[in-house]
Amino acid sequence: MDLARTEVAPRGSRKGNAARFGLMALPVAFFGVFFAWPVAAITARGLKSDGAWHLGRITDVLAQSDIRHVLWFTVWQALASTALTLLVALPGAYVFARLDFPGKRVLRAVVTVPFVLPTVVVGTAFLALVGHGGLLDELWGVRLDTTVWAILLAHVFFNYAVVVRTVGGLWAQLDPRQEEAARMLGASRLRAWRTVTLPALGPAVAAATLMVFLFTFTSFGVVQILGGPTFSTLEVEIYRQTSEIFDLATAAVLTLVQFAAVGAILAVHARTVRRSESALRLVDPARTARRPRGAGQWTLLAGVLGTVAVLILLPLAVLVQRSLDTPDFGYYRALASADSGVFLVPPIDAVGNSLTYALAATAIAVLIGGLAAAALTRRDSGRFVRGFDALLMLPLGVSAVTVGFGFLIALDEPPLDLRASWILVPLAQALVGVPFVVRTMLPVLRAVDGRLREAAAVLGASPWRVWREVDLPLVRRALLIAAGFAFAVSLGEFGATVFIARPDNPTLPVAVAKLLGRAGELNYGQAMALSTILMVVCAVSLLLLEGLRSADRTGEF
């Protein structure tokens, strides 16, 4: 019996490893061809000439004072944006975690809307609020679009939900009796929170901080629209050096700098996530939320509601108002005409293009991300598997501008000459969608009892049948949520798409950026109208996701 066991275990282990590597094959090939290869191609084009590498260009570029200013501003604004976001959003995390009030579910969906909005729409909304002719300019003659405050506020608007969801999600599951026990032993409310709750929240706060820093460090659309010629992040400078100056050497060096910085951030984030998975005393969130009690909690709730109204709802409302600032929906009707000369087709065609591209990108992202999540289900991972996990996150931080331009350079000859193919856009969008699919499905897949799979396999079920009859029924809702996130982020992808979207098939973010780049009230109004349409589509997708999450908790769906 013992001999049999010692023989079966290695076979099972080898079979399990073979299945895991089989699942990883397609995602590794996908990322190798459509991520690593384009990034390597654009980098080599800038640092290599006449068959030789010129690494001295790195020090030459970094020695330039204007480049050092870009690096400093990128880091400084990311730190400032992160600190401001934590300051504004942590009270909201507490309110959504610990307080129960009417409309809480809808409000949670509302504060998450900005996170799935394209950065181009976020920039446009704040331009309508704080820019020339914006609401503040009309009321008080105040403009912030020429200051860094417009960028910082837009980043807070965009990342508010990251802190509320990440920190508030864990806060809602912490057993409040631990803090109450400290109060009974004589600790003040502040000391009990500082010594009991804060250490438990530490991993979630650290994870949220790193994610906000990552998103603001690689900010493109917001800075491109609100920063103008005055402010430039690494991502914006890479775009400028690539598309305007055609200095590929400088763009390649900046890409390597951003790649190294993002790699370090993701490494720290991975350690933080592992810490957050350590054992904590967690309870059902429904048991921890209660009606506000006392003047302090009611005041805090009112303050959070006021913050949400001013920070999130006001920019979106101004965006909608500007799109309607003409009789008889004039800006919307103008979208059906190509007379402006900005596009080869009517701007309204961008809606259908974006939906088509996003659906194709979602299908690709769900396939690649689903296989990757299945491969990462087991926690006993070696270095290769952990490296594979990190690879899946890189598209969130590596320059999308570099990827898009790399597509044009790397995929321009047989056997993969895709320059004239429409599939380039969905492929670029899918790269951004895959990490969301993996992070949505992986916790659910890891929660599936492995003994169910083993029992099905013992009964003779093939791996495909095990997946179809055991895993799929349990993860179906997570799969739908993952697909919704992939669809929303694909709709808003801009950095790579701006290079590869054909003039006769523009996407919504590209169309908005082109309209904002041309003078004239009509172009500005059409940009507001297209941004409103894109915002509505993304918001509807988010509300559907929130409905799926709520149904998953209540069992009503």
Side-chain angles (χ1 to χ4, degrees):
M1 181 71 68
D2 292 337
L3 288 176
R5 288 178 180 174
T6 57
E7 291 176 357
V8 170
R11 283 203 302 268
S13 177
R14 287 194 296 269
K15 186 176 181 180
N17 287 333
R20 170 184 285 185
F21 289 123
L23 290 170
M24 291 169 58
L26 185 58
V28 167
F30 178 80
F31 274 79
V33 174
F34 298 112
F35 179 70
W37 185 16
V39 172
I42 187 66
T43 303
R45 182 68 66 93
L47 298 180
K48 190 176 181 181
S49 63
D50 299 325
W53 291 90
H54 299 277
L55 299 182
R57 293 177 181 173
I58 297 178
T59 56
D60 293 340
V61 170
L62 296 181
Q64 300 175 24
S65 60
D66 56 336
I67 296 300
R68 291 201 303 271
H69 176 74
V70 169
L71 292 173
W72 165 243
F73 177 75
T74 301
V75 175
W76 177 86
Q77 65 82 26
L79 289 172
S81 297
T82 302
L84 191 58
T85 302
L86 290 173
L87 180 66
V88 174
L90 281 176
Y94 171 81
V95 165
F96 282 102
R98 293 301 199 198
L99 302 185
D100 187 20
F101 52 91
K104 178 179 177 180
R105 182 182 300 176
V106 175
L107 191 63
R108 183 187 287 112
V110 169
V111 301
T112 313
V113 166
F115 183 69
V116 300
L117 286 180
T119 55
V120 172
V121 173
V122 175
T124 306
F126 273 81
L127 192 65
L129 179 63
V130 304
H132 176 67
L135 181 63
L136 295 185
D137 191 14
E138 289 183 352
L139 295 179
W140 298 295
V142 175
R143 289 181 56 188
L144 297 178
D145 58 327
T146 56
T147 71
V148 73
W149 281 106
I151 296 174
L152 298 182
L153 290 175
H155 283 162
V156 175
F157 168 89
F158 187 76
N159 292 291
Y160 185 88
V162 175
V163 178
V164 169
R165 288 280 185 166
T166 304
V167 179
L170 178 60
W171 208 336
Q173 293 180 277
L174 293 181
D175 193 341
R177 291 174 296 183
Q178 297 178 2
E179 188 173 327
E180 293 170 0
R183 294 286 309 281
M184 293 180 63
L185 294 174
S188 64
R189 184 182 298 274
L190 177 61
R191 185 179 180 184
W193 180 84
R194 181 167 47 89
T195 58
V196 177
T197 304
L198 183 58
L201 289 175
V205 173
T209 300
L210 287 168
M211 290 303 293
V212 173
F213 184 84
L214 174 64
F215 290 138
T216 53
F217 185 84
T218 58
S219 181
F220 177 56
V222 168
V223 181
Q224 176 80 351
I225 291 175
L226 297 176
T230 307
F231 303 107
S232 180
T233 57
L234 270 173
E235 187 82 356
V236 174
E237 188 64 21
I238 291 171
Y239 174 78
R240 191 174 74 89
Q241 295 289 341
T242 302
S243 63
E244 298 177 8
I245 304 178
F246 303 107
D247 186 351
L248 295 186
T250 300
V253 171
L254 296 181
T255 296
L256 291 176
V257 171
Q258 182 165 308
F259 187 85
V262 168
I265 295 170
L266 290 178
V268 175
H269 180 257
R271 292 189 59 185
T272 304
V273 169
R274 286 197 293 272
R275 285 180 55 205
S276 68
E277 291 179 347
S278 60
L280 290 172
R281 187 176 179 183
L282 304 180
V283 297
D284 183 358
R287 293 169 47 192
T288 64
R290 60 189 182 188
R291 300 281 293 182
R293 294 186 298 183
Q297 290 190 347
W298 280 108
T299 301
L300 180 61
L301 175 60
V304 169
L305 294 178
T307 300
V308 171
V310 173
L311 179 67
I312 295 178
L313 296 181
L314 181 60
L316 299 180
V318 171
L319 176 66
V320 175
Q321 184 272 328
R322 286 291 184 266
S323 74
L324 298 172
D325 196 17
T326 185
D328 301 323
F329 301 97
Y331 293 142
Y332 288 91
R333 289 191 291 108
L335 294 176
S337 172
D339 294 340
S340 65
V342 181
F343 304 103
L344 300 178
V345 295
I348 194 64
D349 287 3
V351 177
N353 296 334
S354 288
L355 293 175
T356 302
Y357 290 145
L359 287 172
T362 300
I364 298 171
V366 168
L367 173 62
I368 301 298
L371 291 173
L376 295 169
T377 299
R378 288 171 52 188
R379 294 179 181 272
D380 53 335
S381 306
R383 290 184 178 180
F384 179 77
V385 177
R386 288 198 295 271
F388 172 68
D389 192 8
L391 171 68
L392 300 173
M393 293 291 292
L394 282 178
L396 290 181
V398 173
S399 170
V401 171
T402 300
V403 174
F405 197 64
F407 268 32
L408 298 180
I409 293 176
L411 306 177
D412 65 341
E413 57 185 7
L416 278 177
D417 186 359
L418 301 178
R419 286 175 301 175
S421 174
W422 68 274
I423 198 64
L424 269 185
V425 175
L427 287 172
Q429 294 173 342
L431 283 171
V432 183
V434 167
F436 288 91
V437 174
V438 173
R439 294 303 157 204
T440 303
M441 293 187 62
L442 189 55
V444 181
L445 283 170
R446 283 179 171 171
V448 176
D449 192 341
R451 292 173 296 183
L452 296 176
R453 302 188 184 100
E454 295 171 1
V458 168
L459 293 174
S462 64
W464 165 246
R465 188 175 180 185
V466 171
W467 161 257
R468 190 179 71 246
E469 298 188 6
V470 176
D471 290 83
L472 184 58
L474 296 174
V475 303
R476 181 178 63 250
R477 190 169 287 109
L479 184 64
L480 292 174
I481 292 173
F485 269 118
F487 180 78
V489 299
S490 297
L491 272 177
E493 205 290 318
F494 175 63
T497 308
V498 70
F499 279 98
I500 56 181
R502 294 165 53 181
D504 56 342
N505 286 294
T507 63
L508 277 169
V510 172
V512 170
K514 286 187 178 296
L515 286 168
L516 286 175
R518 292 177 66 93
E521 181 181 348
L522 180 61
N523 289 325
Y524 178 82
Q526 288 183 94
M528 296 295 160
L530 277 180
S531 296
T532 301
I533 293 173
L534 187 49
M535 178 191 72
V536 169
V537 174
C538 290
V540 169
S541 301
L542 193 280
L543 290 172
L544 291 176
L545 294 183
E546 187 64 26
L548 287 174
R549 286 182 182 275
S550 301
D552 189 33
R553 288 192 297 267
T554 62
E556 296 172 356
F557 182 76

